[in-house]
Amino acid sequence: MTFAYNLANGYPFSTYGENALLLVQGWVLLYLLASYNNKLNAVFFASAAVYTGACAAIFGGFVSLELMALGQALTVPVISFSKIPQIMTNFSNKSTGQLAFITCFLNFLGCVARIFTTLTEVSDLVVLSSVVISTVLNGILFLQVVMYWGAQAKADKKNK
């Protein structure tokens, strides 16, 4: 949705370009996941056809900018629902488990950069709000990695 919304509004590619790659990456990952789990069946291909049709409608200009703005706004709860359970689990376990320092750091840094490009190149509150929320949540995850550094190793040593 982010890619289509920004493209339809004529925003500079530098403010959303990575979303084109993420779109392709998502398709490939879903295919590989279904293939690995022997789920390449009629339901998978029907879902892929519906998704492809929706993308064609969005990119083909058949969806109004208002509806696309609503879709873009809905990315905020999706982002939140994808990160908050991890944050809460980390907090209750006092450990980040397998989260890698470098991955969390680069996610957070990328979000900070995205705030900068959004503020300097786009004056769209919907886009900015999704970027800010993502940055805050990735920042919390990064802080948890720093705060709970080595907690898993200590817990493992106690259990042995």
Side-chain angles (χ1 to χ4, degrees), residues 103-121:
T103 302
C104 289
F105 176 68
L106 291 174
N107 279 340
F108 176 63
L109 207 59
C111 286
V112 171
R114 180 58 57 224
I115 287 177
F116 174 76
T117 58
T118 301
L119 286 173
T120 57
E121 298 184 37

Side-chain angles (χ1 to χ4, degrees), residues 116-129:
F116 174 76
T117 58
T118 301
L119 286 173
T120 57
E121 298 184 37
V122 177
S123 60
D124 189 322
L125 192 57
V126 175
V127 174
L128 183 61
S129 65

Side-chain angles (χ1 to χ4, degrees), residues 11-47:
Y11 296 148
F13 189 75
S14 61
T15 63
Y16 66 91
E18 78 279 0
N19 288 291
L21 294 174
L22 292 173
L23 180 68
V24 172
Q25 175 186 340
W27 280 52
V28 170
L29 286 174
L30 286 174
Y31 174 81
L32 290 173
L33 185 63
S35 177
Y36 179 77
N37 290 308
N38 295 319
K39 301 285 185 181
L40 289 175
N41 53 27
V43 172
F44 174 81
F45 288 109
S47 299

